[in-house]
Amino acid sequence: MSDPEMGWVPEPPTMTLGASRVELRVSCHGLLDRDTLTKPHPCVLLKLYSDEQWVEVRAAQVERTEVLRSCSSPVFSRVLALEYFFEEKQPLQFHVFDAEDGATSPRNDTFLGSTECTLGQIVSQTKVTKPLLLKNGKTAGKSTITIVAEEVS
């Protein structure tokens, strides 16, 4: 029965009990320019620590941002959506790549840096800015990543 006069209101989409939906917006500043001829074509890949391993997040099939052409300080428009569990530690990794033309996986792209934090840190602070680190653990120049969280009702 869907009669508004009877007081029936459609229910919102179902989620896991005790979870809230969080949208993450990502931007970077001062990315390294690994190619001397062009600026990077950055893309951010999101991974979640689950079952004792890092896995790509595939919530709603969005585990990475779009690729922005020739940009060393990108502001990505694609939102990364996750379920947030208040009392559960949810470690995240953000990997930034210079997407090569025609590349089908980040393994073929140039690694520009990564950072780790928990979803709880981002949600509690609303906005987190961290330095990007290279695979050897050193900072990637002055490169930073900023993640902004918004809880969706």
Side-chain angles (χ1 to χ4, degrees), residues 7 20 34 38 58 87 101 109 125 130-131 137 145:
S20 62
R34 300 281 191 173
T38 62
R58 294 197 181 269
E87 293 188 13
D101 290 333
D109 296 335
Q125 296 177 32
K130 298 187 69 130
I145 187 169

Side-chain angles (χ1 to χ4, degrees), residues 104-140:
T104 57
S105 103
R107 282 173 266 163
N108 301 332
D109 296 335
T110 303
F111 179 74
L112 298 177
S114 67
T115 196
E116 292 182 19
C117 60
T118 65
L119 184 53
Q121 289 171 318
I122 300 167
V123 169
S124 67
Q125 296 177 32
T126 309
K127 179 180 178 180
V128 172
T129 299
K130 298 187 69 130
L132 288 173
L133 302 176
L134 299 173
K135 290 181 181 177
N136 61 10
K138 293 183 180 180
T139 58

